[in-house]
Amino acid sequence: MKGIILAGGSGTRLYPLTKITSKQLLPVYDKPMIFFPLDTFITAGIKEILVIVAPEHAGHFLNLLGDGSEFGVKISFAIQREPNGIAQAFLLGENFIGKDSVALILGDNIFEDNFSNYIKNFESGAQIFVREVHDPKRFGVIEFDKNKKVLSLEEKPKNPKSNFAQTGLYLCDNSVIEKTKKLSPSPRGELEITDVMKKYLAEKTLTAEIITKKWFDCGTHESLFFASEWQKNR
């Protein structure tokens, strides 16, 4: 399995912190934010990693991460010139993915869980990881039946059907590339990752795992603060 870290975007919610640097390079107490998703992949045994960055910050990421040899992995880079949605990562990474399956993680997501077994045992379809939250309107929301089978996914709903949010880690088989190519941009003008997952759901090949350990989506000043506090006290 290949790994993609999506670290593009403009980080407008974190202005003025992100006026001169990438959100994913901001410190989470004593480490750059991107070290956390990178560690998630390394711990899970993924050896080939593509980091997708905005053009104005590409040199900063290269200086920090190099070719990955310092971390025992192989790192390459791709440019996301415009932030046109999370699913765009699969198109930017098409040549990198090749014929393999792929794990996509958002560069501002920090997980306490270890995903080694999920990644090692992944075979086909798509797998997402969800967590109960108090503010589901901010996220993609997952609706389950009594057997925890996925019934529906909805992006940032006004009336959430559950309190379970889709976190920023996705395991997909190779068909994700063709599925993404068939997407139309959403009203926000983006290729939505939720729409990709809906295609797997329609094929009945989408599974979801509930995680219970710490998860931070560091897109706001508040979440960045809490993640730094957590890192300090580990």
Side-chain angles (χ1 to χ4, degrees):
M1 179 176 280
K2 304 278 182 64
I4 296 178
I5 301 175
L6 182 58
S10 53
T12 52
R13 289 182 297 166
L14 285 170
Y15 268 18
L17 297 179
T18 50
K19 196 168 183 180
I20 59 169
T21 191
S22 167
K23 169 176 60 175
Q24 292 85 5
L25 294 174
L26 292 173
V28 178
Y29 185 57
D30 59 348
K31 293 181 181 179
M33 189 186 297
I34 196 168
F35 274 23
F36 293 90
L38 179 62
D39 184 64
T40 294
F41 278 170
I42 293 171
T43 301
I46 292 177
K47 297 294 186 182
E48 294 182 61
I49 298 168
L50 177 70
V51 181
I52 298 177
V53 300
E56 62 269 27
H57 304 307
H60 300 152
F61 282 98
L62 182 59
N63 287 338
L64 178 66
L65 301 176
D67 64 359
S69 55
E70 177 186 348
F71 308 99
V73 295
K74 181 180 178 182
I75 293 177
S76 51
F77 297 89
I79 299 296
Q80 185 184 39
R81 299 199 176 278
E82 297 290 338
N84 292 326
I86 294 171
Q88 187 185 25
F90 299 119
L91 304 183
L92 294 172
E94 180 178 2
N95 291 336
F96 167 78
I97 297 168
K99 296 182 179 180
D100 295 318
S101 55
V102 61
L104 171 64
I105 192 170
L106 304 188
D108 61 358
N109 271 225
I110 297 175
F111 292 92
E112 192 174 36
D113 286 85
N114 183 321
F115 298 97
S116 300
N117 287 336
Y118 296 114
I119 288 173
K120 187 168 106 176
N121 295 321
F122 181 82
E123 294 182 352
S124 62
Q127 190 166 44
I128 56 177
F129 300 89
V130 303
R131 197 184 191 289
E132 196 165 14
V133 297
H134 69 276
D135 52 351
K137 291 181 181 181
R138 286 181 51 215
F139 304 97
V141 171
I142 314 301
E143 179 190 12
F144 295 104
D145 66 12
K146 62 182 181 180
N147 298 315
K148 298 302 179 187
K149 182 180 178 182
V150 181
L151 296 176
S152 69
L153 302 92
E154 193 173 3
E155 186 66 25
K156 297 181 175 63
K158 291 182 180 179
N159 299 299
K161 294 179 180 177
S162 81
N163 289 324
F164 286 97
Q166 182 174 278
T167 67
L169 176 62
Y170 313 85
L171 308 185
C172 303
D173 64 19
N174 196 259
S175 73
V176 72
I177 297 170
E178 292 304 317
K179 285 179 169 63
T180 305
K181 286 180 178 179
K182 294 175 182 177
L183 287 186
S184 297
S186 68
R188 299 195 301 167
E190 298 186 359
L191 297 177
E192 303 285 357
I193 188 70
T194 298
D195 289 340
V196 178
M197 295 303 115
K198 284 180 178 178
K199 289 184 178 293
Y200 281 104
L201 179 60
E203 295 177 352
K204 299 182 179 179
T205 58
L206 176 69
T207 58
E209 294 291 337
I210 297 173
I211 61 174
T212 56
K213 292 187 177 181
K214 291 288 186 181
W215 166 58
F216 301 96
D217 174 9
C218 298
T220 65
H221 294 98
E222 183 181 47
S223 58
L224 181 59
F225 171 79
F226 285 128
S228 295
E229 193 172 49
W230 166 77
Q231 171 65 6
K232 179 182 178 182
N233 295 321
R234 288 177 75 184

